[in-house]
Amino acid sequence: MTRSTTEKLRLGRHTLTLHRQDKALLPGTGPGAPDITKRDLVGYYRAIAPHVLPHLRRRPLMLERLPDGLDGDRIMQKNTPAYFPDWIGRVEVGKEGGTVLHPLCDDTATLVYLADQATVTLHRWPSRAPAVERPDRLVFDLDPPGDDDFDAVRHAARLVRELLDEVGLACGVMTTGSRGLHVVAVLRGEHTFDDVHSFAKKAADTLAAAHPDRLTTAMRKQDRGNRLYLDVQRNAYAQTSVTPYTVRAKPGGPVATPLTWGQLEDPELTAQRWTIANAVEQADTDPWAGLPGRGRALGPAAAKLRALRDSGG
């Protein structure tokens, strides 16, 4: 008997038709490791939903889809296709010469539907609808200057945290599931993208000036040498960053995973420490407990940073 290529799943008020659940999307890692199938991806996102949805709700998304697996075409999808169900949220945002109708993911049914569309990675805006022009997150993207220099990333993350603490902004740290770490500060969402990007750039410049042998804000790779680049470009309008607990399109299904600042000291920590096999267990520890509610206005932080820079501190 031929196995059906579709399966039904009821989630809340919606019945989903899941397609080709045995299709391999990502290769496993290690000798004899099985491929990660669409069923595995759907199961992971269904299990992680209580932890990931607070980081997704009302945020415009860019979907990274692998309909034919890692060896096929990689689709970076911003516009919501017409065939998406009506019950999936959308938000229209401006772009040069027009608009983009981004999908939203506000519930488990939508999350599972997107996984069934082979959406491996969810990239989110740092702002929420309807106030899409007022970011409430600020991201420092820290990748190692060399392939085997994760200690440089840890060191940079600590320095970013110390500076943000000094100017009064709460932040958390997460693995990216790829090469490095993100330090994510929470804001009240009262300022523009230009304001937030300007603050992030000045903060990065301050750190690079204080640690010129280890950190840089040089845009060109040939100007960085062996220094870690403090990347703040994800804080500009229409830019995205990987959502906490999203899967990355890499062998083994590594997951971008929040961690406590104490876990940053683990010598075994890597950017791909957690995968779809163990990220739910890490999420259950709630490493960012209380962080989302600690957003602060950017104005006082910008004033403190300006005073710090003026004093040469």
Side-chain angles (χ1 to χ4, degrees):
M1 179 180 294
T2 302
R3 185 172 182 178
S4 172
T5 59
T6 64
E7 301 173 20
K8 298 291 185 180
L9 177 65
R10 182 74 178 180
L11 291 171
R13 296 176 297 160
H14 308 293
T15 299
L16 280 66
T17 301
L18 306 180
H19 303 83
R20 303 176 66 191
Q21 292 297 284
D22 291 329
K23 181 175 181 58
L25 295 181
L26 301 171
T29 55
D35 290 337
I36 294 170
T37 66
K38 192 187 289 188
R39 175 175 286 104
D40 297 324
L41 186 71
V42 165
Y44 168 75
Y45 275 123
R46 188 179 180 188
I48 203 70
H51 303 289
V52 70
L53 286 173
H55 300 287
L56 288 171
R57 288 193 176 100
R58 308 305 301 165
R59 296 189 186 277
L61 298 178
M62 178 174 68
L63 311 177
E64 185 174 351
R65 298 177 54 225
L66 300 176
D68 294 311
L70 196 57
D71 292 332
D73 290 338
R74 184 176 308 220
I75 301 172
M76 307 301 287
Q77 187 168 318
K78 296 181 179 180
N79 260 311
T80 308
Y83 64 80
F84 271 28
D86 292 341
W87 47 264
I88 290 181
R90 286 110 161 132
V91 60
E92 189 171 19
V93 301
K95 69 170 186 176
E96 187 175 354
T99 61
V100 178
L101 190 64
H102 283 272
L104 301 172
C105 184
D106 294 343
D107 54 37
T108 302
T110 300
L111 187 59
V112 169
Y113 178 87
L114 295 178
D116 186 61
Q117 294 293 308
T119 301
V120 175
T121 309
L122 298 149
H123 302 263
R124 65 173 186 168
W125 276 44
S127 58
R128 299 178 190 266
V132 293
E133 298 191 2
R134 303 281 173 170
D136 64 357
R137 296 291 183 271
L138 185 156
V139 179
F140 288 84
D141 185 5
L142 311 174
D143 281 337
D147 291 338
D148 299 318
D149 199 6
F150 198 74
D151 281 344
V153 184
R154 293 180 218 265
H155 180 71
R158 295 187 198 104
L159 293 175
V160 171
R161 182 197 185 191
E162 288 172 5
L163 179 61
L164 293 177
D165 282 348
E166 191 167 354
V167 300
L169 293 181
C171 62
V173 63
M174 59 180 276
T175 66
T176 63
S178 180
R179 299 183 63 236
L181 298 169
H182 282 180
V183 176
V184 182
V186 290
L187 308 173
R188 283 187 183 167
E190 299 173 352
H191 289 75
T192 67
F193 274 96
D194 286 345
D195 293 333
V196 173
H197 184 267
S198 176
F199 172 88
K201 178 65 167 61
K202 290 174 182 175
D205 287 340
T206 300
L207 288 170
H211 306 275
D213 295 335
R214 303 190 70 167
L215 304 176
T216 182
T217 57
M219 296 286 289
R220 300 192 308 173
K221 288 186 177 181
Q222 57 265 41
D223 295 333
R224 299 175 192 168
N226 293 323
R227 297 173 296 174
L228 183 142
Y229 174 51
L230 296 169
D231 186 354
V232 298
Q233 299 309 310
R234 299 184 187 280
N235 299 294
Y237 179 79
Q239 295 298 306
T240 62
S241 60
V242 293
T243 304
Y245 300 116
T246 199
V247 181
R248 303 307 303 271
K250 294 181 176 296
V255 170
T257 308
L259 57 149
T260 67
W261 286 102
Q263 286 177 303
L264 189 64
E265 307 306 318
D266 182 353
E268 301 300 318
L269 181 68
T270 69
Q272 298 186 24
R273 165 67 178 79
W274 288 280
T275 71
I276 66 169
N278 56 17
V280 175
E281 180 180 349
Q282 166 70 2
D284 285 341
T285 69
D286 197 8
W288 283 5
L291 180 64
R294 297 172 61 195
R296 296 291 182 266
L298 190 63
K304 290 179 181 178
L305 179 62
R306 184 164 54 250
L308 189 65
R309 288 163 59 87
D310 290 345
S311 70

